[in-house]
Amino acid sequence: MLSLADIREARERVSGVARHTPLERSRSFSEMSGADLHLKLENFQRTGAFKIRGAMNRIETLSDAEREAGVVTASAGNHAQGVALAASRAGVDATVVMPKFAPVSKVKATRGYGASVRLEGVDYDEAQAYAHQLEREEDRTYVHAFDDPVVMAGQGTLGLEIVDDCPELDTVVVPIGGGGLISGVAVAIKEQLPDARVVGVQAEGAASAAKSLEAGELREIDSVDTIADGIATRSVGEQTLDVMAEYVDEVVTVDDREIALALTLLLERAKTLVEGAGAVALAAVLSEAFEYDDGETVVAALCGGNIDLNRLGTVIRRGLVQMGRYLKITIDLKDRPGELERVSSIVARTGANVYAVHHDRTSRDVAVNAAELELELETDDAEHAADIVDALEAEGYEVEILS
């Protein structure tokens, strides 16, 4: 079983590469949640995520023969970058297998750190199967993304920093993918602060941990579907499950809407960019996925910031919808002069800003003497969006809300 001594030894190995990332109290999110909320800004870590901690610890413990043969791993992106950088610094050849649909930014970054990248499989689990095939064929050492005590110990160094910087903490909230991060952090926290609580968070579309903990053995889900690609695994690990069963107090889930809202709020309120997996801990706090007291000192781990720019726009849009800051509607108009101007004047009176307009007179779903108008509007909040719909309906228009 992973021990506090293992994690302290890991800190000595990784300290020359992994940064001691900031832990800052957020006044905005404390006011929103009622908790005394602190953010562990691991998105500022080298490679943009905590994974360099575990990867570096594993690479540093390779034998001379293992270094000579090289390493192989599978990853959705963040572990890939961690292994690539750690191996490059140690002069070890690294091959990384990533899913075919891994974010382009993560693939490019992994290659930029010096690893050979192969794209195989539709998700992490299929990529991992291919990586194990390379392990056998090329006699490489497999560097597991999470189910390895040495990797877990490296990730646990994040927990040591949290205790150093916030010894008065009551609760730590940590994302769960395969369980490597929360295993290391939970041991680091609980062995030093036994009364502290450790809460794990999974995305609703990749929630295997609670089922596995309840069953007392691994439970694999059939597929994953979430914007939090960094924690999109079908199952936690066997060894991480054992640690979580002993040290983790509670596991909760958040859905993609809650993740998108947390990510967008972090951008607006904290000027901090995270990926989906990096937002789940805050999402759990803001959505009250678990119970906490007013004024309770809560630390939310923002575990990564490597979001693909193509996905960022989509996620922000979803977050704005949740905040009531974006409204997309369709209206059926009479196909006659002045109707578009009439709708525009109603929208203008409400104070909304038009983001985009699509006017279609040829759709099969529209009557011959009608036209379909689709509007994308920037709004102040949910109440403002409702006022716009009410104003249009008061003028006799039938409004369909798309988002």
Side-chain angles (χ1 to χ4, degrees):
M1 180 71 75
L2 181 66
S3 71
L4 181 60
D6 295 330
I7 298 171
R8 285 175 169 159
E9 289 175 6
R11 177 157 62 178
E12 295 300 315
R13 297 191 191 100
V14 308
S15 60
V17 177
R19 295 169 178 155
H20 185 130
T21 52
L23 193 152
E24 298 181 357
R25 183 182 186 275
S26 170
R27 185 177 66 177
S28 294
F29 292 125
S30 293
E31 291 175 352
M32 291 173 64
S33 65
D36 179 26
L37 187 57
H38 300 245
L39 305 177
K40 177 59 172 172
L41 301 173
E42 191 65 7
N43 54 310
F44 292 162
Q45 185 56 262
R46 295 191 67 172
T47 73
F50 70 93
K51 291 288 191 176
I52 185 61
R53 298 173 183 268
M56 195 70 205
N57 197 41
R58 185 67 184 91
I59 295 297
E60 286 296 303
T61 56
L62 292 174
S63 68
D64 290 341
E66 289 171 330
R67 287 171 178 263
E68 182 66 25
V71 298
V72 62
T73 193
S75 170
N78 287 335
H79 177 64
Q81 294 173 69
V83 170
L85 177 58
S88 176
R89 288 180 62 91
V92 175
D93 184 70
T95 296
V96 176
V97 184
M98 304 176 73
K100 293 179 181 178
F101 305 111
V104 173
S105 59
K106 293 184 178 182
V107 174
K108 288 184 175 180
T110 302
R111 287 179 172 142
Y113 286 124
S116 171
V117 176
R118 302 194 189 187
L119 302 178
E120 294 287 342
V122 298
D123 59 15
Y124 167 78
D125 296 88
E126 290 188 4
Q128 183 185 49
Y130 184 76
H132 280 306
Q133 179 181 329
L134 294 179
E135 174 192 13
R136 294 186 296 270
E137 293 174 352
E138 300 180 5
D139 196 30
R140 292 175 177 266
T141 296
Y142 186 79
V143 180
H144 204 288
F146 48 85
D147 205 24
D148 180 333
V150 179
V151 172
M152 286 186 269
Q155 319 302 28
T157 61
L158 185 147
L160 297 180
E161 293 176 10
I162 290 175
V163 174
D164 288 346
D165 295 341
C166 190
E168 72 278 13
L169 69 89
D170 297 307
T171 300
V172 178
V173 190
V174 185
I176 302 176
L181 176 63
I182 196 170
S183 294
V185 169
V187 171
I189 298 294
K190 289 285 197 176
E191 288 294 325
Q192 297 180 90
L193 303 172
D195 294 332
R197 179 172 55 153
V198 178
V199 176
V201 188
Q202 287 200 297
E204 192 175 83
S208 64
K211 296 177 182 177
S212 297
L213 288 167
E214 183 178 354
E217 61 183 13
L218 288 183
R219 288 288 187 265
E220 183 176 303
I221 57 179
D222 294 332
S223 61
V224 294
D225 183 15
T226 174
I227 61 174
D229 57 272
I231 54 173
T233 59
R234 295 185 202 170
S235 173
V236 297
E238 292 184 3
Q239 298 180 82
T240 60
L241 180 62
D242 290 341
V243 177
M244 286 190 287
E246 181 169 348
Y247 287 95
V248 175
D249 296 281
E250 184 179 0
V251 175
V252 299
T253 61
V254 290
D255 62 33
D256 278 1
R257 294 175 303 168
E258 292 162 337
I259 296 170
L261 176 59
L263 189 155
T264 306
L265 286 169
L266 279 164
L267 274 173
E268 183 173 63
R269 300 295 182 88
K271 308 301 182 283
T272 297
L273 175 65
V274 299
E275 59 190 282
V280 296
L282 179 62
V285 177
L286 297 181
S287 66
E288 298 183 350
F290 63 96
E291 294 183 0
Y292 53 86
D293 297 330
D294 287 345
E296 181 174 333
T297 301
V298 178
V299 175
L302 309 186
C303 65
N306 295 317
I307 189 167
D308 186 83
L309 292 180
N310 289 324
R311 172 165 287 187
L312 178 60
T314 301
V315 174
I316 291 175
R317 186 65 51 82
R318 288 192 185 186
L320 290 173
V321 169
Q322 292 299 108
M323 296 163 68
R325 301 269 295 279
Y326 171 84
L327 177 65
K328 187 176 183 179
I329 58 176
T330 59
I331 307 168
D332 286 343
L333 304 179
K334 293 293 184 182
D335 188 16
R336 61 192 180 196
E339 279 296 297
L340 182 58
E341 181 181 4
R342 182 169 176 239
V343 170
S344 297
S345 65
I346 296 169
V347 171
R349 287 201 304 271
T350 67
N353 187 41
V354 178
Y355 181 80
V357 178
H358 181 68
H359 186 259
D360 188 357
R361 301 167 62 187
T362 61
S363 172
R364 294 181 180 180
D365 298 327
V366 178
V368 174
N369 64 341
E372 181 182 78
L373 178 65
E374 182 178 285
L375 293 175
E376 295 181 52
L377 306 173
E378 295 176 353
T379 53
D380 295 338
D381 50 34
E383 184 178 354
H384 186 206
D387 289 343
I388 296 168
V389 174
D390 290 345
L392 289 166
E393 291 179 339
E395 295 291 334
Y397 293 105
E398 292 186 8
V399 180
E400 179 183 358
I401 299 175
L402 300 180
S403 61

